[in-house]
């Protein structure tokens, strides 16, 4: 094997190892974020999750309703319900959907409805003043 061929093979091997390591690092970071999010949820007696913003460093916000959290929970409950019928799971699913429909966060301007957050949100050195909307949360709420 020539030095040239060896160097090409070594470069390819290093590229593969680096991309696998990078993907593993990305997968690990995503898993940690999902775990942190799930550990920050507090459920009421109706089975509806509330997000504890203090766990993400937003201490002044505390525990709040969040369409993203409720939508994800409703979809999880729907999956469980479709796998095996269960009256408790069905009730919790309906409670989560009812929260999405009846929450005071849902504002209707006559043309469309949108979830509005009532607290300031700091991103780096910038602060978004309320009311503000999350495209992700509004889109996710359509699924359940």
């Amino acid at each position: 094997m020539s030095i040239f061929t060896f160097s090409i093979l070594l470069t390819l091997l290093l590229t593969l190892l680096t991309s696998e390591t990078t993907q593993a690092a990305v997968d690990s970071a995503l898993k940690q974020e999902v775990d942190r999010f799930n550990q920050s949820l507090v459920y009421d007696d109706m089975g509806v999750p509330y997000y504890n913003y203090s766990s993400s460093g937003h201490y002044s916000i505390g525990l709040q309703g969040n369409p993203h959290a409720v939508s994800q929970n409703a979809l999880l409950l729907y999956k469980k319900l479709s796998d095996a019928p269960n009256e408790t799971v069905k009730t919790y699913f309906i409670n989560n959907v009812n929260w999405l429909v009846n929450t005071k966060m849902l504002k209707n301007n006559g043309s469309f409805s949108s979830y509005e957050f009532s607290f300031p949100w700091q991103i780096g050195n910038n602060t978004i003043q309320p009311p503000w909307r999350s495209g992700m949360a509004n889109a996710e709420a359509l699924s359940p």
Side-chain angles (χ1 to χ4, degrees):
M1 178 183 314
S2 72
I3 294 288
F4 179 73
T5 305
F6 179 75
S7 71
I8 290 175
L9 288 174
L10 184 58
T11 302
L12 285 171
L13 180 61
L14 288 173
T15 302
L16 287 172
L17 288 174
T18 302
S19 66
E20 287 177 16
T21 302
T22 302
Q23 186 60 50
V26 168
D27 290 347
S28 175
L30 286 172
K31 183 183 180 324
Q32 286 178 345
E33 184 60 23
V34 167
D35 290 345
R36 184 193 62 76
F37 178 81
N38 287 329
Q39 292 167 4
S40 300
L41 297 176
V42 176
Y43 293 82
D44 69 9
D45 59 348
M46 304 291 283
V48 177
Y50 288 78
Y51 184 71
N52 184 357
Y53 284 89
S54 297
S55 66
S56 63
H58 295 90
Y59 302 107
S60 64
I61 299 171
L63 196 62
Q64 299 281 332
N66 182 297
H68 165 69
V70 177
S71 298
Q72 291 303 308
N73 192 53
L75 292 174
L76 177 67
L77 291 165
Y78 184 79
K79 169 85 172 92
K80 286 181 180 179
L81 194 57
S82 64
D83 290 344
N86 177 305
E87 283 304 310
T88 301
V89 173
K90 180 180 178 182
T91 299
Y92 284 171
F93 170 75
I94 292 170
N95 292 344
N96 278 256
V97 172
N98 283 337
W99 185 94
L100 290 168
V101 171
N102 297 318
T103 181
K104 291 179 182 176
M105 289 180 72
L106 186 61
K107 307 296 181 189
N108 185 332
N109 73 0
S111 298
F112 64 91
S113 296
S114 179
Y115 295 93
E116 290 183 354
F117 292 81
S118 61
F119 48 84
W121 189 253
Q122 186 169 350
I123 302 173
N125 293 329
N126 300 311
T127 301
I128 301 170
Q129 295 300 324
W132 57 273
R133 295 161 197 86
S134 163
M136 180 181 74
N138 278 284
E140 286 180 326
L142 296 173
S143 294

